[in-house]
Amino acid sequence: MTWQGWAEIALTLGLAVGIGWPLGVFMSRVWNGERTWLDPVLRPIEKVFYGACGVDPTKSQTWYGYAGALLAFNAVGFLFVYAVLRLQGVLPLNPQGFAGLSPHLAFNTATSFVTNTNWQSYGGETTMSTLSQMLVLTVQNFVSAATGATIAAALARAFIANRGQGVGNFWADLVRTTLYVLLPLCFVVAVVLVALGVPQTLAAGVTAHTLEGGEQKISLFATASQLAVKQLGINGGGIFNVNSAHPFENPTPLTNLITAVSINVLGWAAFFAFGRSALARKDVRALVIAGSLLLAAGAAGVYAAETRPAPAQVAAHVDTSVNMEGKEVRFGAPSTAAWVAMTTGASNGSVNGMHSSLMPLGGAMAMFLMQLGEILPGGIGSGIAIMVVMALLAVFVAGLMVGRTPEYLGKKVEAREIQLSMLAVLIVPLSMLGFSAVAAILPEALKGLMHAGPHGLSEILYAYVSGTANNGSAFGGLTANAPWWNITLGVAMMLGRFIPMIAVLAIAGALAAKPKLAPSAGTLPTDGGLFIGLLIGVILILGGLQFFPAMALGPIVEHFQALAAVAAFH
């Protein structure tokens, strides 16, 4: 381990949080309908969308009206993506001549992009046409990210409402987040990436002549535009199969830094936007500190695991100082360690190394960051929403200790909010562990594994953890393009995405109907070190107690097996 490696991790995290603060202020203005410097250009376009759809953006919806609009929009999006992928072979802009996808792969892919997961059971450059990449996948990268942001906007309004009924207008939140936040930022980042060497073309590919006199067909796509929204939208699905380890997606250390920061920046921005919109800047600052500490600890854990020699290399007396298996040699172990933490702390899933080649404890840390609920910072809006749910549980625990009705941001937290909070957090382990348990004994599922033993279990567990957490990264040894995996992972993605969303909107509806209370002598301060410690404890206990047995059978036992093999060798 070197100081350069620690500095790289600190720089990546620091830039994401630092840039996220002013972006969060802007995002809050967008959610609240306040005037922005983009209004002269975008306000007329915004009105065209409302007029075409017959939407009154000033009409606030109840939480169930908001939830109904969200579900209807995503259902239509799913059907459109599925249809295009199935008909890809007969649609235009298919210079590669790719056939349509199988029913189970189209189902998985449509679910994956609609839920902002971007799990890929396929190789992008050998499966998806230019039309599919641009018309359905890139579009879903925008609107699925914006859908997550709408949840945070609605929840923020609930905390400032005083016996109100509405939580905002879903259609207005969706359109404004897409037009004012995602599109301008993605345009700027895409232009920067093109300037740094990332391709942007409709050509199918180019032919390279090798030194041996042969020819190699190299695929090309409109990569920069998809890459920008894949990272800023915290999506993660890449055009190329090796994702951000591909030199066309990530040609230089500078593009590596820009895209790594982009993974987290709008997630943290949503935290700050929520704080400004809910008039709770100090309280949300505590949430940011708690999340940053957990993410930094996760990055440090991965870095410590990956900057040591692999036990097998030590046993063979191979001279090495780090585990370089599965690493992109242009960036090295520190950049991979930082990326692993940033992409699993956020619900992003892009990779610049092979996660299956991480040391057992490095892979365990990646899984654990996702098992915490994708709140570090998670997706745009969805991360802060679940972090607030964790805060509600933390004040509830504190209320039990002192015998008082808990409060958070001026709202009493009562039985209904806790029941809905538990629904939001318990669906995650139910899906992750339930599907993993069935897959571990089902012959049809076991066919997809590359490895047996603990690492094979880790492949299974990682897949369902990633799918349910709407992350999208994978242990590369799993062959997931089969009916069992595509269908069950698709169901896991839906459970992990929409049930917590509906639960959070129901919490917002319940809170909005309550009076806004002034702090009293018995109110627990939620902006200080005591609350930060309590919140971190609740998050770790929920993650640790639920998942430790499964982790002990997978990556933890694999770690001790590796150490035992070294001892036996000597």
Side-chain angles (χ1 to χ4, degrees):
M1 292 185 287
T2 64
W3 69 267
Q4 292 98 329
W6 294 114
E8 187 169 346
I9 293 173
L11 178 65
T12 306
L13 178 58
L15 284 175
V17 175
I19 298 172
W21 174 66
L23 285 178
V25 173
F26 177 78
M27 189 183 295
S28 172
R29 296 180 66 85
V30 170
W31 291 351
N32 298 337
E34 301 173 39
R35 184 169 180 80
T36 73
W37 60 275
L38 290 173
D39 278 23
V41 176
L42 295 180
R43 184 73 76 175
I45 301 174
E46 181 186 357
K47 290 180 178 179
V48 169
F49 278 105
Y50 298 144
C53 299
V55 171
D56 179 3
T58 63
K59 183 179 180 181
S60 185
Q61 297 170 301
T62 61
W63 78 263
Y64 45 86
Y66 200 101
L70 183 151
L71 292 175
F73 176 77
N74 282 273
V76 172
F78 168 84
L79 293 174
F80 181 66
V81 176
Y82 181 85
V84 170
L85 296 181
R86 294 283 287 135
L87 298 171
Q88 175 180 266
V90 298
L91 293 174
L93 280 178
N94 186 7
Q96 303 88 348
F98 293 146
L101 276 61
S102 65
H104 59 84
L105 181 56
F107 168 79
N108 180 276
T109 305
T111 303
S112 176
F113 279 80
V114 167
T115 59
N116 199 239
T117 308
N118 290 42
W119 171 277
Q120 294 176 280
S121 294
Y122 60 89
E125 68 267 44
T126 58
T127 308
M128 295 295 174
S129 70
T130 302
L131 180 71
S132 296
Q133 293 280 11
M134 295 192 306
L135 179 62
V136 292
L137 302 189
T138 301
V139 169
Q140 282 302 319
N141 280 346
F142 278 97
V143 296
S144 65
T147 297
T150 66
I151 303 301
L155 187 59
R157 296 186 190 106
F159 279 105
I160 62 173
N162 189 17
R163 300 186 186 275
Q165 294 296 321
V167 294
N169 188 290
F170 169 76
W171 305 109
D173 290 339
L174 179 77
V175 169
R176 289 184 63 80
T177 301
T178 304
L179 276 182
Y180 288 82
V181 179
L182 289 171
L183 275 172
L185 280 175
C186 289
F187 178 81
V188 172
V189 171
V191 170
V192 171
L193 292 174
V194 169
L196 293 174
V198 177
Q200 180 76 7
T201 177
L202 296 180
V206 295
T207 301
H209 298 278
T210 67
L211 294 176
E212 294 84 1
E215 290 186 351
Q216 179 183 0
K217 189 71 172 180
I218 301 176
S219 297
L220 293 173
F221 292 92
T223 305
S225 57
Q226 170 105 340
L227 176 59
V229 70
K230 122 180 175 178
Q231 305 296 36
L232 286 167
I234 316 184
N235 300 282
I239 286 179
F240 300 100
N241 195 33
V242 294
N243 210 275
S244 290
H246 197 289
F248 283 178
E249 281 204 27
N250 200 358
T252 69
L254 182 56
T255 61
N256 190 73
L257 177 63
I258 291 171
T259 48
V261 171
S262 298
I263 289 172
N264 279 181
V265 67
L266 285 183
W268 292 122
F271 273 64
F272 293 111
F274 178 90
R276 182 179 182 273
S277 297
L279 305 179
R281 288 182 172 89
K282 290 183 179 180
D283 304 87
V284 170
R285 193 181 306 151
L287 304 186
V288 172
I289 292 172
S292 298
L293 289 174
L294 287 170
L295 183 58
V302 177
Y303 183 47
E306 298 307 309
T307 50
R308 301 179 186 276
Q313 294 172 318
V314 174
H317 301 290
V318 175
D319 184 18
T320 181
S321 58
V322 298
N323 171 38
M324 281 302 294
E325 181 187 346
K327 308 294 191 302
E328 171 52 60
V329 295
R330 294 175 300 146
F331 306 131
S335 289
T336 300
W339 195 292
V340 168
M342 300 307 157
T343 196
T344 53
S347 58
N348 182 267
S350 65
V351 297
N352 71 350
M354 180 64 69
H355 286 198
S356 186
S357 295
L358 296 172
M359 297 296 292
L361 295 185
M365 185 57 68
M367 278 193 271
F368 188 64
L369 289 173
M370 293 185 287
Q371 289 163 352
L372 295 182
E374 293 291 63
I375 54 177
L376 311 175
I380 303 176
S382 57
I384 176 60
I386 300 302
M387 181 64 96
V388 170
V389 168
M390 293 293 186
L392 295 179
L393 294 174
V395 297
F396 175 72
V397 170
L400 291 178
M401 294 177 179
V402 298
R404 289 183 58 88
T405 301
E407 300 173 13
Y408 189 64
L409 306 186
K411 297 283 186 172
K412 279 190 176 182
V413 181
E414 298 175 301
R416 177 172 173 78
E417 292 78 47
I418 296 303
Q419 291 166 355
L420 292 168
S421 296
M422 293 308 300
L423 174 63
V425 298
L426 289 181
I427 190 61
V428 172
L430 177 64
S431 175
M432 292 177 179
L433 298 177
F435 279 119
S436 296
V438 175
I441 61 173
L442 192 68
E444 186 66 25
L446 296 175
K447 292 178 183 178
L449 300 185
M450 178 181 290
H451 301 92
H455 196 79
L457 179 60
S458 294
E459 289 178 2
I460 294 172
L461 182 61
Y462 195 105
Y464 289 112
V465 167
S466 176
T468 305
N470 300 138
N471 183 272
S473 62
F475 265 22
L478 177 68
T479 302
N481 190 13
W484 164 265
W485 288 103
N486 278 333
I487 292 171
T488 57
L489 282 168
V491 173
M493 294 174 209
M494 289 184 181
L495 292 175
R497 176 71 164 178
F498 293 115
I499 290 183
M501 278 188 167
I502 301 307
V504 168
L505 287 174
I507 291 171
L511 293 175
K514 294 184 177 184
K516 183 77 170 176
L517 304 175
S520 66
T523 300
L524 172 70
T526 55
D527 58 357
L530 177 63
F531 180 74
I532 291 172
L534 177 64
L535 177 62
I536 290 175
V538 168
I539 293 170
L540 291 178
I541 289 171
L542 280 175
L545 292 182
Q546 294 175 123
F547 296 103
F548 181 77
M551 300 282 276
L553 294 173
I556 295 177
V557 73
E558 184 183 359
H559 169 73
F560 285 108
Q561 281 183 337
L563 295 181
V566 174
F569 183 87
H570 289 293

